[in-house]
Amino acid sequence: MGINRSTLQSWMRDRSLVDKYLGTDLCPRCTPVSSPPEPLDAYSYLLGLYLGDGCLTPAGDPRKGVWRLRVMCSDTWPGLIELCAGAMAAIRPDHKVSRVPSTGCTEVHGNWKHWPCLFPQHGPGKKHDRTIALEPWQQAIVEKHTKEFVRGLVHSDGSRVLNRIKRKLPGDGEQYYEYPRYHFTNVSTDIIRLFTEALDRLEIPWKVHTKKRGKSYKDTYVVSVSQREAVARMDSFVGPKY
Ligand SMILES: [Zn+2]
């Protein structure tokens, strides 16, 4: 390619220089021989976050074709902000991941021309207004790394809640019991299906109910995992937000 030796040596020290020189970035998808984005577990988690609460927007001048992957993380859970930033950094080592504070939340983002190659679900409009289907290579990743995918979805659009139940004791006494359960809330039936299919693969029983939100809004679907053993399974790889 006519690239001299010292240039190659500096690229080996700092991969971002390759982008500057070639005007592109090494993308695992849009090369003649495509491969899945590595590491697979970080991608599976990031895909869950993206489908739950992430989006792609042009970064700066749209004519330059650089995209920004943005995930909004609540400041209530600082640990999740770091997990999100860590997954983005794992997919694109040596590239900057930014944390931008906003009211009550932090936007974690990274810029790249090839985010749409990694998240082909990107398109105009809201996710629940269009079909969300995984490409075969994505399906293979979420089948291999199902727990990470479920974890990403729950960390963005889900929660672990404590149901408090009062029980009368003999006499005048009463006692409270707390039952943990998981909820996953989304408006897109496609995303709900991806979540419940993943739970099925893990043999975790679930239930879904519809929350009506009035004529001018789409219905919201809530998947709940509440059986004691199923919650214990979820706790082993998701756990409470932190
Ligand atoms: Zn690409």
PDB file of all heavy atoms in Angstrom, residues 25 27-32 34 114 117:
ATOM      1  N   ASP A  25     -12.136   3.526   9.421  1.00  0.00           N
ATOM      2  CA  ASP A  25     -11.741   2.829  10.623  1.00  0.00           C
ATOM      3  C   ASP A  25     -11.949   1.351  10.343  1.00  0.00           C
ATOM      4  O   ASP A  25     -12.793   0.990   9.550  1.00  0.00           O
ATOM      5  CB  ASP A  25     -12.663   3.289  11.759  1.00  0.00           C
ATOM      6  CG  ASP A  25     -12.066   2.981  13.107  1.00  0.00           C
ATOM      7  OD1 ASP A  25     -11.103   2.188  13.174  1.00  0.00           O
ATOM      8  OD2 ASP A  25     -12.568   3.522  14.089  1.00  0.00           O
ATOM      9  N   CYS A  27     -13.489  -1.816  10.346  1.00  0.00           N
ATOM     10  CA  CYS A  27     -14.830  -2.242  10.752  1.00  0.00           C
ATOM     11  C   CYS A  27     -14.949  -3.729  10.481  1.00  0.00           C
ATOM     12  O   CYS A  27     -14.622  -4.189   9.386  1.00  0.00           O
ATOM     13  CB  CYS A  27     -15.875  -1.470   9.953  1.00  0.00           C
ATOM     14  SG  CYS A  27     -17.536  -2.118  10.131  1.00  0.00           S
ATOM     15  N   PRO A  28     -15.394  -4.508  11.464  1.00  0.00           N
ATOM     16  CA  PRO A  28     -15.466  -5.956  11.234  1.00  0.00           C
ATOM     17  C   PRO A  28     -16.570  -6.348  10.249  1.00  0.00           C
ATOM     18  O   PRO A  28     -16.543  -7.444   9.699  1.00  0.00           O
ATOM     19  CB  PRO A  28     -15.763  -6.522  12.632  1.00  0.00           C
ATOM     20  CG  PRO A  28     -16.416  -5.398  13.372  1.00  0.00           C
ATOM     21  CD  PRO A  28     -15.819  -4.124  12.811  1.00  0.00           C
ATOM     22  N   ARG A  29     -17.526  -5.457  10.016  1.00  0.00           N
ATOM     23  CA  ARG A  29     -18.678  -5.832   9.199  1.00  0.00           C
ATOM     24  C   ARG A  29     -18.533  -5.514   7.717  1.00  0.00           C
ATOM     25  O   ARG A  29     -18.880  -6.327   6.884  1.00  0.00           O
ATOM     26  CB  ARG A  29     -19.955  -5.143   9.729  1.00  0.00           C
ATOM     27  CG  ARG A  29     -20.361  -5.538  11.130  1.00  0.00           C
ATOM     28  CD  ARG A  29     -20.537  -7.033  11.306  1.00  0.00           C
ATOM     29  NE  ARG A  29     -21.352  -7.636  10.257  1.00  0.00           N
ATOM     30  CZ  ARG A  29     -21.312  -8.917   9.934  1.00  0.00           C
ATOM     31  NH1 ARG A  29     -20.496  -9.727  10.564  1.00  0.00           N
ATOM     32  NH2 ARG A  29     -22.080  -9.385   8.975  1.00  0.00           N
ATOM     33  N   CYS A  30     -18.056  -4.286   7.381  1.00  0.00           N
ATOM     34  CA  CYS A  30     -18.086  -3.900   5.962  1.00  0.00           C
ATOM     35  C   CYS A  30     -16.736  -4.115   5.298  1.00  0.00           C
ATOM     36  O   CYS A  30     -16.255  -3.278   4.556  1.00  0.00           O
ATOM     37  CB  CYS A  30     -18.608  -2.480   5.780  1.00  0.00           C
ATOM     38  SG  CYS A  30     -17.652  -1.206   6.582  1.00  0.00           S
ATOM     39  N   THR A  31     -16.118  -5.232   5.582  1.00  0.00           N
ATOM     40  CA  THR A  31     -14.913  -5.628   4.869  1.00  0.00           C
ATOM     41  C   THR A  31     -15.310  -6.795   3.969  1.00  0.00           C
ATOM     42  O   THR A  31     -16.367  -7.402   4.184  1.00  0.00           O
ATOM     43  CB  THR A  31     -13.823  -6.103   5.860  1.00  0.00           C
ATOM     44  OG1 THR A  31     -14.364  -7.157   6.637  1.00  0.00           O
ATOM     45  CG2 THR A  31     -13.375  -4.980   6.776  1.00  0.00           C
ATOM     46  N   PRO A  32     -14.473  -7.115   2.976  1.00  0.00           N
ATOM     47  CA  PRO A  32     -14.856  -8.227   2.077  1.00  0.00           C
ATOM     48  C   PRO A  32     -15.125  -9.523   2.836  1.00  0.00           C
ATOM     49  O   PRO A  32     -16.016 -10.277   2.473  1.00  0.00           O
ATOM     50  CB  PRO A  32     -13.634  -8.371   1.162  1.00  0.00           C
ATOM     51  CG  PRO A  32     -12.992  -7.029   1.173  1.00  0.00           C
ATOM     52  CD  PRO A  32     -13.241  -6.452   2.540  1.00  0.00           C
ATOM     53  N   SER A  34     -16.365 -10.405   6.297  1.00  0.00           N
ATOM     54  CA  SER A  34     -16.846  -9.798   7.541  1.00  0.00           C
ATOM     55  C   SER A  34     -16.755 -10.778   8.695  1.00  0.00           C
ATOM     56  O   SER A  34     -16.774 -11.997   8.510  1.00  0.00           O
ATOM     57  CB  SER A  34     -18.277  -9.308   7.368  1.00  0.00           C
ATOM     58  OG  SER A  34     -19.103 -10.394   7.055  1.00  0.00           O
ATOM     59  N   HIS A 114     -18.835   3.653  11.656  1.00  0.00           N
ATOM     60  CA  HIS A 114     -19.377   2.310  11.421  1.00  0.00           C
ATOM     61  C   HIS A 114     -20.368   1.806  12.465  1.00  0.00           C
ATOM     62  O   HIS A 114     -20.713   0.631  12.460  1.00  0.00           O
ATOM     63  CB  HIS A 114     -18.221   1.309  11.274  1.00  0.00           C
ATOM     64  CG  HIS A 114     -17.401   1.576  10.055  1.00  0.00           C
ATOM     65  ND1 HIS A 114     -17.718   1.082   8.818  1.00  0.00           N
ATOM     66  CD2 HIS A 114     -16.305   2.357   9.886  1.00  0.00           C
ATOM     67  CE1 HIS A 114     -16.834   1.523   7.932  1.00  0.00           C
ATOM     68  NE2 HIS A 114     -15.967   2.295   8.558  1.00  0.00           N
ATOM     69  N   CYS A 117     -23.107  -0.144  10.991  1.00  0.00           N
ATOM     70  CA  CYS A 117     -22.754  -1.511  10.574  1.00  0.00           C
ATOM     71  C   CYS A 117     -22.964  -2.472  11.745  1.00  0.00           C
ATOM     72  O   CYS A 117     -23.361  -3.614  11.562  1.00  0.00           O
ATOM     73  CB  CYS A 117     -21.304  -1.597  10.136  1.00  0.00           C
ATOM     74  SG  CYS A 117     -20.861  -0.494   8.787  1.00  0.00           S
TER      75      CYS A 117
END
